[in-house]
Every structure is written in C-alpha cells, then in structure tokens.
Amino acid sequence: RKEVEQDPGPFNVPEGATVAFNCTYSNSASQSFFWYRQDCRKEPKLLMSVYSSGNEDGRFTAQLNRASQYISLLIRDSKLSDSATYLCVVWVGTASKLTFGTGTRLQVTL
Amino acid sequence: DADVTQTPRNRITKTGKRIMLECSQTKGHDRMYWYRQDPGLGLRLIYYSFDVKDINKGEISDGYSVSRQAQAKFSLSLESAIPNQTALYFCATSDLAPTSLDSSSYNEQFFGPGTRLTVL
C-alpha cells in the first residue's frame, strides 16, 4: 500500500465549477500535511498547509481528518489557471521525511 | 534570478556513462534534497543533506551518490547510468527543521526547475 494515495484523475471541470480532491495516508505518525501544486513539467510549489480545524485561502479550502487519515482540497469557482496536478504531501517530523502522493490532475475548461 | 537552479535542464546519455546533476541555491538554506519523479510514482527522496558535513540516504539511494561542496551547492552523480534512471530530477532546499511539532512551523521545501534525464 502506498503511504499517500490519491486518485490520479484527470478531473475535467468547466470554469466556475467546484471540485474536490481526496487523499489518504497510512502512517499514523504523520504530523503535518500539505497540498502542493505542480504545473506540467515544472517544479512543485506549496499551495497550502492543512490543519485539523480546516483552513481556507481564497477559493481553496483544505481539511484534515486525523481519525480517518484523510485529507481533502476543495476548489471553488475554478479558473482555467487552476489546471495543474495537485500533490498531497505528508510530513513525518520525527523521521524528517516528506512523502508525496502521485498527484491528482485537474483540467479546467471553458 | 531563480533561488534554486539546476544544471543541466535536459540531458540524454547512454547506459554506463557517468552523469552529474548540479544544484545551486541563493536562499541561504542549510538543508538540501534530491528527488526523482516518475509517472505514477510521485516524488521519491534520493539523498538529503542537513549541512555541509551531513549527508543522508533517502529511500532510493542505490546507484546514486552526492556531494555537498558548499552550503549553496549539492550535486547528484550517477556513476554508471542505466535506463531505469530515466526520470525528472528535482533539487529542493529548506531552512532548519522546526523544533516544534506544530504543523504551522514546518519549513517549506523550495524546488528547483528540474532536470529531465534520459538514459538510452
């Protein structure tokens, strides 16, 4: 079983739609959680951290459920520029280890 | 100018050749990392270095070696390249790890633009 699992997609949505991505992780010692964005053939960049209380950054909302070892990302009012691959990333601080999911590809269309 | 640079950006080589990928950073970070990315596998850690005198193996270090020449430079070598080392390679940097377990104090890793390596 992969340490971090994501649906690879692609998710094809029209502009303005709301789309949600999910991610599960297997290591219960995981301490910190993030969503990274990666454009085609480019480097990953941090999109947002994920907290148990849930957090929002503009059109993006992230949620963490530690009991279910589940992370989500909600994108509202999708823009063409949101088209990218979204990587679920988990940090195990005691091991100084960052584990990446394989990513979920989003394509926003007109 | 980019904070984390990698050279070369693209490289095609033959089986058995020695290849060096270089990474430089101007962020002043102590920690540097090498990852490879393969379709369907995500990014996997090859080696990491917490300072100039500290080198650690990641999950897939076999067939690779590294050199931390200075705080700002971290090189990855493939002593004898093989086709299954064809991948996209990323260098990353981060500041010192947080002493707190609070997720909000995690120090972000900043990635270079990547090197696309093809081994024929």
Side-chain angles (χ1 to χ4, degrees):
Chain A
R1 182 185 173 190
K2 291 180 181 175
E3 289 190 54
V4 180
E5 297 212 48
Q6 296 181 250
D7 181 343
F11 284 61
N12 294 300
V13 302
E15 241 188 333
T18 294
V19 61
F21 306 139
N22 302 319
C23 166
T24 57
Y25 62 94
S26 61
N27 189 343
S28 59
S30 301
Q31 294 159 298
S32 305
F33 309 88
F34 310 91
W35 285 100
Y36 274 67
R37 172 191 168 130
Q38 185 174 24
D39 294 301
C40 188
R41 296 192 176 92
K42 297 285 184 67
E43 70 273 26
K45 293 184 180 179
L46 181 64
L47 177 67
M48 60 196 301
S49 300
V50 187
Y51 306 123
S52 296
S53 56
N55 49 301
E56 190 173 307
D57 182 2
R59 298 180 294 108
F60 298 83
T61 300
Q63 292 278 355
L64 165 66
N65 184 322
R66 285 188 184 269
S68 301
Q69 297 185 190
Y70 171 97
I71 304 159
S72 66
L73 177 68
L74 182 77
I75 305 175
R76 291 181 300 279
D77 189 24
S78 298
K79 311 291 185 191
L80 292 174
S81 57
D82 293 334
S83 297
T85 296
Y86 291 83
L87 308 176
C88 177
V89 184
V90 172
W91 168 256
V92 180
T94 52
S96 295
K97 181 180 177 184
L98 199 61
T99 301
F100 290 79
T102 55
T104 298
R105 193 157 66 88
L106 171 66
Q107 183 66 51
V108 182
T109 57
L110 289 171
Chain B
D1 286 341
D3 294 320
V4 185
T5 57
Q6 292 183 232
T7 56
R9 295 295 311 280
N10 288 283
R11 182 73 184 267
I12 299 174
T13 191
K14 294 182 178 179
T15 296
K17 294 290 187 181
R18 184 178 187 273
I19 297 297
M20 179 180 285
L21 309 183
E22 300 188 346
C23 176
S24 294
Q25 53 114 348
T26 58
K27 299 185 79 67
H29 288 166
D30 287 309
R31 300 187 166 206
M32 298 186 73
Y33 311 80
W34 275 105
Y35 292 90
R36 65 177 278 176
Q37 186 174 34
D38 299 272
L41 291 178
L43 278 85
R44 292 179 292 165
L45 183 63
I46 306 172
Y47 269 97
Y48 61 103
S49 169
F50 285 173
D51 64 39
V52 174
K53 297 181 181 179
D54 178 82
I55 302 288
N56 304 280
K57 291 183 177 181
E59 59 182 296
I60 53 162
S61 59
D62 287 349
Y64 301 94
S65 62
V66 291
S67 173
R68 184 81 184 266
Q69 301 95 323
Q71 187 207 35
K73 295 184 182 296
F74 192 35
S75 300
L76 176 72
S77 293
L78 288 68
E79 295 301 325
S80 180
I82 55 177
N84 76 1
Q85 291 177 313
T86 293
L88 184 56
Y89 289 84
F90 287 105
C91 172
T93 75
S94 71
D95 210 337
L96 289 173
T99 54
S100 166
L101 297 180
D102 180 353
S103 63
S104 64
S105 61
Y106 166 79
N107 286 320
E108 179 182 352
Q109 290 189 15
F110 295 86
F111 287 81
T115 295
R116 188 166 295 278
L117 176 66
T118 302
V119 183
L120 301 175

